[in-house]
Amino acid sequence: EVQLQASGGGLVQAGGSLRLSCTVSGFTFDDYAIGWFRQAPGKEREGVLCINNINGRTWSKESVKGRFTISTDNAKKMVSLQMNSLKPEDTAVYYCGADPGERGCSVSMYYGMNYRGKGTQVTVSS
């Protein structure tokens, strides 16, 4: 059974940092791309960052470049999202997804991923 579990959300002031983690099981970690998405109330889901474990390539939403980074721990089957210089507009439920790496991050982030875990709330106060 495929499982993805996001954790690490919370309340932070603007300019602060948070680190989210996504722990996965049930599939071959090295063959998949893992992506982070977010959805704010009343808004559509948007892709944030993705890393393809097949080749290490990443994809990033333009507005988070320079502030958010993604990293992977193959031994722990975990992908982390480090979020710095947070802004109120980053407030959303963040969740992770997984997709076969052959599709590539850009395709997976645009169309959505096959597997998705429950989200974790991130709230940035002004």
Side-chain angles (χ1 to χ4, degrees), residues 27-99:
F27 58 88
T28 304
F29 187 73
D30 294 349
D31 294 340
Y32 274 69
I34 307 296
W36 284 96
F37 298 83
R38 66 187 183 187
Q39 188 163 18
K43 295 187 177 181
E44 293 188 356
R45 178 202 73 200
E46 56 182 11
V48 180
L49 269 166
C50 174
I51 185 165
N52 191 335
N53 287 330
I54 287 181
N55 52 28
R57 292 179 180 172
T58 61
W59 175 96
S60 176
K61 177 179 174 61
E62 194 64 32
S63 65
V64 305
K65 287 182 178 179
R67 300 190 298 124
F68 292 10
T69 56
I70 191 169
S71 61
T72 185
D73 185 330
N74 289 30
K76 295 182 179 180
K77 295 185 179 180
M78 184 172 70
V79 175
S80 297
L81 179 66
Q82 178 66 41
M83 305 186 293
N84 300 327
S85 302
L86 281 161
K87 303 175 181 180
E89 51 264 42
D90 295 318
T91 295
V93 174
Y94 284 71
Y95 61 94
C96 53
D99 217 23

